[in-house]
Amino acid sequence: MSWDERLRLSRQKLNRVQRLPHGDLPALGRKAECPEPLYARFPEPGRYWALRCGWPKPVAKATSAKMAAASSSDSDCGRAESNEASSKWLDAHYDPVANIHTFSSCLALADLHGDGEYKLVVGDLGPGGQHPRLKVLKGPTVLTESPLPALPAAAATFLMEQHEPRTPALALASGPCVYVYKNLRPYFKFSLPQLPPNPLEQDLWNQAKEDRIDPLTLKEMLEGIREKAEVPLSVQSLRFLQLELSEMEAFVSQHKSKSIKRQTVITTMTTLKKNLADEDAVSCLVLGTENKELLVLDPEAFIILAKMSLPSVPVFLDVSGQFDVEFRLAAACRNGNIYILRRDAKRPKYCIELSAQPVGLVRVHKVLVVGSTQDSLHGFTHKGKKLWTVQMPAAILTMNLLEQHSRGLQAVMAGLANGEVRIYRDKTLLNVIRTPDAVTSLCFGRYGREDNTLIMTTRGGGLIIKILKRTAVFVEGGGEAGPPPAQALKLNVPRKTRLYVDQTLREREAGTAMHRTFQTDLYLLRLRTARAYVQALESSLNPVSVTAREPLKLHAVVQGLGPTFKLTLHLQNTSAARPILGLLVCFLYNEVLYALPRAFFKVPLLVPGLSYPLETFVESLSDKGISDIIKVLVLREGQSAPLLSAHINMPVSEGLAAA
């Protein structure tokens, strides 16, 4: 393709791009003709352009390699358009250098100004965990940004009061404090109550204050307390233990006059409706602390309404219900267990033991979906019963809930280390989204003025915004092959009849007596079975010998239609190395019905492990179409008691019956 033709195509694309709407989220409900990144050469010489948010922006100088890539992108444009047409998502924005490093718990969507424009709240950890900041995004741009004193643990939006205008407040948990913002301005700061210090640690610092011990002795005794004491050391003592010997004396001189304070920190946070289940109802904050406690805060006075203890430190929380009515709280802890608590309970009521550490906790309807470090998703009931397990192709990095209110859909999203985001409803895969980098945080909800927006941040600090198409429908089995659809069908259980209800009431009233009767009959059945077995052993009525001296096994085969049958006895010596000699075979039968040429004969030497067929013929004498039993006895010479026996049910002679 010549330079003039390429220039003409580039101008045509520029005209089409210029007609696209632009703004904060230009791709809301629309998409460009080719998905970004789309690189093209425009009339300005030596300049390299890219489509950013539906509007061309220069990004770099053009080189020969980039120009070759641009020409190849022209040929791949049609194929990319067909892939996007079959997708359920619209690519609204992708910025690989957005410099956002966060987790799913630090993302929140809310209408912070009450104007119907939903913003994204991000508790940014900063690159390398340095310089944490609170960011509020409007569309793809950062609206406000403010520094944080410590790394954020969680972010949540909630309504504090019923007064108009009903704008939600923003709560950000960082260190031992919860920072509350209204209209993006600081409103209140809640600090966790201080914990009592270790008395031995307090006594050591008092001695250091009076110069009765030197810094080296103080360090040795504090290390002994840290290893053995149940109450952990304060931050002051922990910092002192990390110092070099030359810095200890100055640290002691500076801090020995200060009182010892032991402060815990917040590990996780969520919201709980106070008295109504409405979406715009007042909510309480639920905090999980490093001190193995759960705190419920009042939304107006910010006092502790309830305090619950856990056996381990909580890392993920999920709450359902209302605080004033009834609520259920699930806490995934560092010891690999999930604890279920209910209202007015100081201790967990149920415990779910996992085989690996949890990496996420999401409630989908009445099912708790837990992701583990074994690359799998597990579904549990609120009483701890496991419902299903799904294995993932890679490690799970983050999880969150996808709730589409227009279709009543609730599903779980799982971001994997291989760059995939998988959407599951129960154990059925609904959709797979592939991203350029591994996703570390997920958030789905109303953003801007779009109801169903998926926001993702990547491991490298990128920001991806996708919009669910209004015509998109998640179909079971649309992602990959899974269990058959018939497995998810509910059984057609018949309705309860009057007889069923009466029997149920009878079983409730007389349950103890019925159980005793059942146990009595069961014991009698066992007794009769044991007696019959003993009788069979005593009379040798079994086809297998139970004596260790003559270990034998016998079974018989009857062949023929009649009146003459061929009877074959298979006799086997089951001993390890000892042959058996001197055995006899005897037949007992009704001489009116049957005739045998030999009713008594000797058995040859039986070599261990071989099955010997012993054949004879049986002639049926009756023409009435009746049959009887022929008994086969295996005897030892000189003994009257048989070693084993077999009862052969002879068939009816079809030859005589037909005649």
Side-chain angles (χ1 to χ4, degrees):
M1 183 181 294
S2 65
W3 174 260
D4 295 336
E5 293 177 351
R6 292 180 178 176
L7 186 59
R8 180 175 52 83
L9 291 175
S10 300
R11 288 175 176 173
Q12 291 177 0
K13 290 181 180 179
L14 177 60
N15 294 333
R16 288 198 297 266
V17 169
Q18 287 176 346
R19 288 195 296 269
L20 291 175
H22 59 278
D24 294 332
L25 267 180
L28 297 182
R30 300 180 176 88
K31 64 177 184 297
E33 291 190 11
C34 295
E36 66 172 335
L38 171 66
Y39 297 100
R41 295 175 306 282
F42 290 100
E44 183 178 351
R47 182 65 68 179
Y48 194 54
W49 296 72
L51 270 183
R52 294 286 176 83
C53 305
W55 191 253
K57 296 181 181 179
V59 293
K61 288 288 185 179
T63 62
S64 59
K66 294 178 180 178
M67 292 170 66
S71 62
S72 64
S73 67
D74 294 342
S75 61
D76 296 339
C77 182
R79 182 165 59 254
E81 285 182 352
S82 62
N83 293 336
E84 187 169 349
S86 61
S87 175
K88 295 179 173 60
W89 303 90
L90 296 175
D91 295 329
H93 178 70
Y94 173 48
D95 186 2
V97 290
N99 196 23
I100 297 178
H101 304 81
T102 186
F103 302 107
S104 298
S105 59
C106 297
L107 293 180
L109 293 169
D111 183 10
L112 299 177
H113 297 96
D115 55 356
E117 189 81 15
Y118 277 64
K119 309 326 187 277
L120 173 65
V121 179
V122 181
D124 190 3
L125 304 177
Q130 302 293 330
H131 309 293
R133 307 184 73 84
L134 173 63
K135 298 180 179 180
V136 178
L137 279 73
K138 179 181 179 182
T141 60
V142 178
L143 188 62
T144 61
E145 186 175 353
S146 57
L148 294 175
L151 291 176
T157 58
F158 66 106
L159 281 174
M160 299 173 52
E161 53 193 7
Q162 296 285 355
H163 303 300
E164 296 291 340
R166 307 191 64 187
T167 57
L170 168 62
L172 186 75
S174 177
C177 303
V178 177
Y179 301 94
V180 182
Y181 299 82
K182 288 199 72 174
N183 297 321
L184 296 182
R185 295 180 180 179
Y187 177 79
F188 188 80
K189 175 185 174 182
F190 171 81
S191 299
L192 294 177
Q194 293 185 5
L195 303 176
N198 192 317
L200 297 177
E201 177 190 6
Q202 183 72 49
D203 184 60
L204 288 176
W205 281 102
N206 290 336
Q207 294 181 23
K209 182 179 180 180
E210 299 172 359
D211 297 330
R212 289 190 291 172
I213 56 175
D214 56 358
L216 187 60
T217 306
L218 177 63
K219 179 181 179 181
E220 294 177 355
M221 299 186 71
L222 286 177
E223 287 179 347
I225 295 175
R226 182 175 61 175
E227 294 176 358
K228 299 180 181 180
E230 296 181 358
V231 180
L233 297 178
S234 63
V235 177
Q236 177 177 324
S237 298
L238 294 176
R239 289 179 180 175
F240 174 73
L241 294 177
Q242 296 175 353
L243 299 177
E244 298 294 335
L245 186 62
S246 58
E247 302 173 348
M248 290 183 181
E249 187 173 354
F251 185 88
V252 172
S253 301
Q254 181 181 358
H255 294 86
K256 64 182 181 181
S257 59
K258 298 181 181 179
S259 60
I260 300 297
K261 297 180 181 179
R262 192 165 69 91
Q263 183 75 55
T264 185
V265 295
I266 300 172
T267 58
T268 181
M269 180 177 66
T270 187
T271 58
L272 169 64
K273 301 295 182 183
K274 193 169 189 309
N275 48 25
L276 295 176
D278 299 338
E279 186 177 355
D280 57 347
V282 176
S283 301
C284 304
L285 291 178
V286 183
L287 309 178
T289 68
E290 192 75 27
N291 198 36
K292 306 177 184 179
E293 288 183 341
L294 294 177
L295 307 177
V296 182
L297 302 184
D298 184 81
E300 295 182 354
F302 290 98
I303 59 174
I304 298 177
L305 298 177
K307 182 184 293 186
M308 292 162 276
S309 300
L310 292 172
S312 182
V313 179
V315 290
F316 299 104
L317 289 178
D318 186 87
V319 182
S320 61
Q322 299 89 44
F323 178 78
D324 293 340
V325 183
E326 180 64 36
F327 67 89
R328 185 182 284 109
L329 194 150
C333 299
R334 288 182 186 163
N335 61 354
N337 295 338
I338 299 176
Y339 299 98
I340 312 296
L341 299 96
R342 305 190 70 173
R343 189 173 184 267
D344 298 332
K346 302 298 182 182
R347 295 283 179 179
K349 185 173 183 180
Y350 301 104
C351 175
I352 303 174
E353 296 184 0
L354 303 177
S355 57
Q357 289 292 328
V359 296
L361 177 65
V362 176
R363 180 177 56 87
V364 181
H365 296 297
K366 294 184 179 180
V367 179
L368 288 176
V369 182
V370 185
S372 68
T373 54
Q374 292 180 339
D375 306 344
S376 57
L377 287 177
H378 308 279
F380 295 92
T381 65
H382 283 286
K383 292 187 178 180
K385 179 182 178 182
K386 180 182 284 190
L387 300 176
W388 47 264
T389 299
V390 177
Q391 193 67 28
M392 297 287 108
I396 303 175
L397 300 182
T398 184
M399 293 172 55
N400 213 332
L401 177 68
L402 184 149
E403 186 172 7
Q404 190 179 6
H405 297 282
S406 60
R407 299 186 184 274
L409 171 69
Q410 281 192 355
V412 60
M413 302 181 294
L416 307 183
N418 61 354
E420 291 183 352
V421 176
R422 295 192 162 216
I423 302 174
Y424 284 89
R425 179 165 58 189
D426 292 335
K427 58 181 178 180
T428 304
L429 180 62
L430 299 181
N431 190 238
V432 178
I433 303 173
R434 291 173 176 83
T435 57
D437 194 5
V439 173
T440 57
S441 67
L442 294 164
C443 186
F444 184 87
R446 183 178 176 88
Y447 187 40
R449 297 188 182 274
E450 284 291 328
D451 290 332
N452 303 311
T453 306
L454 175 60
I455 301 170
M456 301 174 281
T457 63
T458 62
R459 182 180 291 169
L463 175 65
I464 303 174
I465 302 176
K466 291 180 178 290
I467 300 174
L468 183 64
K469 294 180 180 178
R470 293 182 176 90
T471 58
V473 178
F474 291 105
V475 181
E476 294 186 1
E480 290 183 357
Q487 186 173 340
L489 295 178
K490 294 184 179 180
L491 297 177
N492 187 14
V493 181
R495 299 179 62 183
K496 296 180 181 179
T497 61
R498 181 63 183 175
L499 177 62
Y500 173 82
V501 176
D502 294 342
Q503 291 294 334
T504 304
L505 295 176
R506 173 176 167 270
E507 291 177 2
R508 288 180 180 177
E509 295 174 356
T512 305
M514 295 174 66
H515 178 70
R516 290 175 180 172
T517 305
F518 171 76
Q519 291 293 329
T520 302
D521 295 341
L522 181 61
Y523 292 148
L524 289 177
L525 177 62
R526 291 175 178 173
L527 178 61
R528 292 171 184 170
T529 304
R531 287 176 177 174
Y533 180 67
V534 171
Q535 184 179 359
L537 294 179
E538 292 177 351
S539 58
S540 301
L541 294 178
N542 53 329
V544 179
S545 176
V546 294
T547 60
R549 189 174 181 181
E550 287 92 6
L552 300 172
K553 186 169 66 173
L554 173 68
H555 75 275
V557 177
V558 180
Q559 296 174 320
L561 299 176
T564 302
F565 300 95
K566 182 180 179 180
L567 178 60
T568 304
L569 302 178
H570 295 272
L571 190 61
Q572 182 180 359
N573 178 9
T574 59
S575 65
R578 188 172 62 86
I580 298 178
L581 184 65
L583 298 181
L584 303 172
V585 174
C586 177
F587 295 94
L588 299 179
Y589 57 92
N590 189 348
E591 297 181 356
V592 179
L593 300 178
Y594 299 105
L596 275 75
R598 291 190 306 166
F600 184 84
F601 58 86
K602 288 187 177 182
V603 178
L605 175 69
L606 300 181
V607 178
L610 296 180
S611 178
Y612 289 83
L614 307 175
E615 299 178 352
T616 186
F617 291 93
V618 180
E619 185 177 356
S620 178
L621 304 177
S622 175
D623 57 353
K624 298 181 180 179
I626 59 177
S627 62
D628 199 4
I629 296 176
I630 296 180
K631 297 180 181 180
V632 182
L633 305 178
V634 180
L635 309 168
R636 167 157 309 267
E637 292 183 359
Q639 295 181 3
S640 59
L643 299 178
L644 51 89
S645 63
H647 291 190
I648 303 172
N649 293 316
M650 296 298 296
V652 177
S653 177
E654 297 183 5
L656 292 178

